[in-house]
Amino acid sequence: MVSRLDDIGMTDPAPALPQASAQRADWLRVLARAVPDELAARAAPVLADYRFETLRAPEHGLVMVRARIGNTGDRFNLGEATVSRCAVRHRASDGSVVVGVGHVLGRDTTRAECIAGLDALLQREPLQSLLMREVVEPLRAVRLRRDRDQCARTEATRVRFFALQPEAAT
């Protein structure tokens, strides 16, 4: 049996998302990849001021990681990864409701719940620019700095075998 997902090209360019969806996907990506201690430190003061109703309690689960042979060939199941997820609802004083979700790799339900709360608040126009400036952008900067440092450490250990380098055309 072939699933619907088998019809989606993994190497094809991603379809263009509407601006709001692309922006939400971006902040969810930043929050999910944030260093746990940094995320907790930035989110705790913000989340303490708001109340959330739990729609899906934080829980652990598994997702199947799929890959393609040579990045373009047949699909195969690479293995399973543990994830934690959570969904919360925030009701504003004007009665409007937004739902926030949080998904993270690993067994960190506290982090998933924190991300869900921030996602709900980031969907509120009055709070969005403040939270982007005070929470998301600093977390993005920390992650970029850590990634740059890791690349520099990795590059420092690279071994170059000059005998295997392609010869320059003369």
Side-chain angles (χ1 to χ4, degrees):
M1 173 98 185
V2 177
S3 73
R4 184 189 69 76
L5 292 177
D6 288 327
D7 296 334
I8 299 171
M10 288 177 67
T11 56
D12 295 341
L17 293 174
Q19 177 66 23
S21 294
Q23 190 176 19
R24 185 174 183 208
D26 178 60
W27 75 57
L28 283 171
R29 184 179 312 105
V30 170
L31 295 173
R33 294 192 70 223
V35 178
D37 295 337
E38 286 283 329
L39 176 65
R42 295 239 175 232
V46 173
L47 296 176
D49 296 338
Y50 297 94
R51 293 183 47 130
F52 300 95
E53 177 186 349
T54 302
L55 296 177
R56 180 184 297 275
E59 62 186 358
H60 307 297
L62 293 174
V63 294
M64 180 60 67
V65 179
R66 301 195 72 199
R68 283 187 181 262
I69 297 171
N71 201 30
T72 58
D74 293 337
R75 292 174 189 260
F76 65 96
N77 293 334
L78 185 62
E80 293 175 336
T82 305
V83 295
S84 297
R85 68 180 179 177
C86 180
V88 298
R89 179 181 356 201
H90 177 257
R91 187 177 310 275
S93 57
D94 65 359
S96 64
V97 174
V98 292
V99 174
V101 297
H103 292 84
V104 293
L105 283 173
R107 299 176 58 88
D108 193 346
T109 53
T110 305
R111 204 167 94 191
E113 190 171 21
C114 178
I115 292 170
L118 286 171
D119 178 43
L121 295 177
L122 280 160
Q123 293 177 65
R124 300 237 175 251
E125 280 299 320
L127 296 172
Q128 190 177 82
S129 62
L130 173 69
L131 291 176
M132 289 297 286
R133 186 176 60 251
E134 300 295 324
V135 178
V136 177
E137 293 307 325
L139 291 174
R140 183 190 317 270
V142 168
R143 173 48 84 183
L144 288 173
R145 188 170 51 253
R146 288 174 57 97
D147 288 350
R148 244 190 341 265
D149 292 346
Q150 178 63 41
C151 285
R153 285 192 303 274
T154 302
E155 185 63 27
T157 64
R158 179 180 288 194
V159 176
R160 288 180 169 60
F161 295 96
F162 296 108
L164 300 177
Q165 297 288 330
E167 294 182 28
T170 56

